[in-house]
Amino acid sequence: IIRDSLLGLRTAGLQLGVMVFLGCVCGIGYHTLSANGLLATPRSTEALDQAYAPMLLPTITVSEARRDRDAGAVLIDARMAADFSASHIAGSINIPVGTNDADRSALLAGIAKSRRIVLFCKSAGCGFSLESAKDLLRDGYGNVRMFRGGWDEWVATYGESTAVPTTLPSTR
């Protein structure tokens, strides 16, 4: 009886697996080939592109971030304003995560869309810079690089920071 029960469970499991597989194939086929499918039109994939684009941006090291800053790149600190006011990387500007479109536009006024931007937040585990990257990409800034080590790695490496608010770098 036990053997028959196990054989019945095995058969039912195989049938379920085949049904799930066929359902996935049909779903993917529909969404790819149908005019109403999720993956059929550029407009329908735009949200996916915007959501995942920041993860595809070039990631740079702390030494590359410093080199870029020294070469005239704009360093954008995505940390909260209070953290930036307490201390920040010299020459960086603060555009906290969640800054509205109008304020972000005002802070970036005069900075060419093609200018190199290095975006960072507190540390490698901080997601603020990824969220801010979505906004910058949507605004048309195409030369964005991610410094994932952020504030913590910069201070550990260079110990260089300032408590005095800085102005925007020139628009070279």
Side-chain angles (χ1 to χ4, degrees), residues 97-119:
V97 65
T99 298
N100 68 48
D101 293 345
D103 289 345
R104 188 176 54 258
S105 291
L107 289 165
L108 294 171
I111 295 177
K113 303 279 185 181
S114 61
R115 184 132 175 233
R116 165 117 351 127
I117 293 177
V118 175
L119 194 53

Side-chain angles (χ1 to χ4, degrees), residues 60-63 65-66 69 75-94 118-129 145-166:
I60 61 173
T61 64
V62 66
S63 61
R66 186 175 189 179
R69 180 199 66 176
L75 266 66
I76 296 180
D77 187 334
R79 296 178 303 149
M80 294 296 149
D83 296 325
F84 183 83
S85 293
S87 192
H88 55 271
I89 297 172
S92 65
I93 61 172
N94 185 220
V118 175
L119 194 53
F120 68 95
C121 54
K122 180 168 176 28
S123 65
C126 175
F128 289 174
S129 56
R145 301 173 95 190
M146 304 296 292
F147 168 39
R148 299 289 293 149
W151 167 251
D152 288 347
E153 185 178 356
W154 184 281
V155 172
T157 303
Y158 300 117
E160 183 182 313
S161 65
T162 181
V164 179
T166 59

